[in-house]
Amino acid sequence: MDLYEYQARDLFRKHGVPVLGGGIATTPEQAQQVASALFKEGSDLVVVKAQVKIGGRGKAGGVKRAYSPQEAAEHARAILGMDIKGHTVGMVLVCDGVDIAQELYFSVLLDRATRGYMALCSREGGVDVEALVQEHPQALARLAVDPCTGMTAQAAARIARAAGLEPGEVADRVAAVIVRLWKVLTAEDATLVEVNPLALTVDGRLLALDGKVSLDDNARFRHPDHADLVDTAAVDPLEARAKAVGMGYVRLEGEVGVLGNGAGLVMSTLDVVAGAGRRHGEMRPANFLDLGGGSSAQAMATGLGIVASDPQVRAILVNVFGGITSCDTVAHGIVDAVTSLEETDKPIVVRLDGNNAEAGRQILAEAALEGVTVVDTMDEAAQTVTAIAHTLSQQPTGTAEPAEFPEPAEIKEA
Ligand code: GDP
Ligand code: MN
């Protein structure tokens, strides 16, 4: 989970990284109030900053200085609603401003390429750091951080020196901040902590003026307080519904709902559906739902409910390989879902294999549910479901007309 700048700043503050005061606002009036309070506390400059989870806000006009509460309100009016690389600004941070003497760059991240922690530092930070790194890669020092010893004072000093900071008082202060930023990374279970600019001010302070933090969602259970950081407005409601019952759901762009037990099986099903879809009107997977291992009938019913309520889904493929989960249990879940849930009136193609597959198919055959087709193989299932989805996608959405479904497709060469 990526955090907003204001949330990153809160974590910085918590771990002793120096940041300036401020507050968030969703209207120009609120921005004016926050600015007013800052000016009363003695600020002579505030900065109004778009809160979007994307970089380059400064260059896009999303960071503006204001010298009065009125000016802050005007900037907020201009920035709120702005589109920055596809992200609409719904909130601004109004914070203390400073006069910057030098902008440094620092980040530390879990680096997949080296399978370790990597610290990056430059004494030429700021909005042009990407271009700088392209043109002068040596301007960005890269140093691995030993995960066992962590960011010791010595390691931090080495990084500051590698970035070209002369040994001395400033380098020492930068190193001390680096140690604290490492604390943010480890204590909060982040995969990335970035500060750009880490600014040296004209009056000699060192401040984190911008912050980017990505938290490791797999460590969420260790951080009950991180629940507050979730951007509930941006969370996909179906994803939240699946997560609440311990299932993995991912929304994709296509027309075919895909449901299975086990991530490996579901991922290969996506590939097979995408392949079959090429022969049936370019139908593609609309989502990915992994019921997990040892799925109960209830889990299948819940999962089907979730996939079916995705409005872009035209038809659903249930692909289950019975292991711990037995196929008769799965079949009961399908029957329950189709007979009881309003939203599961979409065509379903079922492929069951493995543990108790025969019994499962028998249950579905006896139930003779309208709109449910049982096939034997994964390829056949993919061909059939994409053909159905294609037929339905030819009709305008919302028509209640019962469709003429094709017979399970004949499998030719792959
Ligand atoms: P980004 O463009 O998304 O990385 O947003 P930043 O928060 O880094 O802001 C962009 C630039 O605005 C910074 O690199 C600074 O040059 C400038 N900036 C941000 N805060 C202040 C401030 O308090 N005073 C001054 N003078 N400039 C600031
Ligand atoms: Mn920045």
Side-chain angles (χ1 to χ4, degrees):
M1 168 174 62
D2 294 341
L3 300 186
Y4 286 111
E5 177 196 6
Y6 81 91
Q7 297 172 318
R9 277 181 180 236
D10 289 346
L11 292 183
F12 286 178
R13 187 178 295 113
K14 176 177 160 190
H15 294 284
V17 176
V19 293
L20 291 170
I24 52 170
T26 53
T27 63
E29 294 70 33
Q30 277 174 13
Q32 179 158 354
Q33 280 168 17
V34 176
S36 232
L38 290 170
F39 282 113
K40 275 199 193 105
E41 284 163 23
S43 305
D44 43 22
L45 161 69
V46 301
V47 183
V48 182
K49 309 180 77 177
Q51 296 298 286
V52 280
K53 296 180 178 182
I54 187 90
R57 298 166 302 162
K59 287 199 161 169
V63 177
K64 292 228 170 349
R65 305 209 250 169
Y67 296 88
S68 71
Q70 292 71 25
E71 198 186 350
E74 278 162 35
H75 289 324
R77 197 180 310 281
I79 294 172
L80 287 164
M82 188 184 259
D83 178 284
I84 300 180
K85 299 181 188 164
H87 295 244
T88 308
V89 182
M91 192 197 302
V92 291
L93 171 66
V94 182
C95 58
D96 250 337
V98 285
D99 290 323
I100 301 173
Q102 188 182 356
E103 298 188 312
L104 312 177
Y105 173 94
F106 177 79
S107 66
V108 57
L109 64 141
L110 195 54
D111 179 39
R112 285 175 202 275
T114 58
R115 302 187 192 118
Y117 292 111
M118 184 70 81
L120 307 173
C121 192
S122 175
R123 57 174 187 182
E124 296 171 71
V127 293
D128 289 319
V129 77
E130 277 88 2
L132 173 84
V133 171
Q134 289 288 325
E135 286 158 31
H136 306 284
Q138 71 286 357
L140 185 71
R142 299 164 198 259
L143 273 158
V145 184
D146 184 329
C148 298
T149 49
M151 185 71 77
T152 57
Q154 291 83 345
R158 207 156 45 235
I159 290 163
R161 200 167 332 120
L165 293 172
E166 295 299 325
E169 199 255 327
V170 168
D172 291 349
R173 277 159 61 204
V174 170
V177 169
I178 289 175
V179 169
R180 291 181 174 174
L181 288 166
W182 171 261
K183 188 84 199 304
V184 174
L185 183 87
T186 51
E188 302 293 339
D189 277 313
T191 53
L192 166 76
V193 171
E194 183 187 72
V195 184
N196 184 32
L198 177 60
L200 277 162
T201 65
V202 169
D203 59 5
R205 287 179 290 165
L206 180 65
L207 295 164
L209 285 194
D210 182 17
K212 184 171 173 197
V213 171
S214 299
L215 298 174
D216 182 351
D217 292 334
N218 293 314
R220 183 84 66 81
F221 70 97
R222 291 205 283 232
H223 304 279
D225 52 324
H226 287 181
D228 298 341
L229 301 174
V230 177
D231 195 0
T232 40
V235 171
D236 186 305
L238 292 179
E239 208 167 290
R241 210 168 122 189
K243 197 166 187 181
V245 291
M247 294 176 192
Y249 169 92
V250 178
R251 186 194 290 277
L252 302 168
E253 300 278 86
E255 301 79 13
V256 178
V258 176
L259 204 117
N261 60 332
L265 179 67
V266 183
M267 279 197 254
S268 42
T269 310
L270 295 182
D271 288 347
V272 175
V273 166
R278 265 176 232 129
R279 288 159 62 179
H280 298 283
E282 296 298 326
M283 294 293 105
R284 293 161 307 160
N287 54 35
F288 168 115
L289 190 120
D290 176 13
L291 296 170
S295 317
S296 62
Q298 180 55 50
M300 173 51 83
T302 308
L304 263 181
I306 292 169
V307 169
S309 45
D310 183 340
Q312 66 183 351
V313 167
R314 300 289 190 159
I316 300 166
L317 172 49
V318 175
N319 190 10
V320 170
F321 190 86
I324 298 167
T325 312
S326 111
C327 290
D328 53 324
T329 307
V330 169
H332 280 304
I334 296 171
V335 175
D336 285 354
V338 174
T339 48
S340 66
L341 295 174
E342 280 261 312
E343 57 208 356
T344 45
D345 58 350
K346 294 180 182 175
I348 303 171
V349 176
V350 185
R351 176 263 184 165
L352 300 175
D353 207 346
N355 183 12
N356 266 351
E358 261 322 307
R361 291 185 199 141
Q362 183 85 32
I363 290 163
L364 290 174
E366 279 164 15
L369 302 164
E370 197 185 333
V372 176
T373 314
V374 182
V375 298
D376 289 338
T377 68
M378 185 151 141
D379 277 329
E380 199 180 347
Q383 298 288 348
T384 309
V385 79
T386 49
I388 294 173
H390 185 216
T391 307
L392 289 175
S393 67
Q394 307 291 87
Q395 303 175 351
T397 17
T399 47
E401 290 291 301
E404 230 0 82
F405 296 129
E407 283 302 301
E410 207 180 297
I411 308 300
K412 297 178 191 92
E413 80 291 6

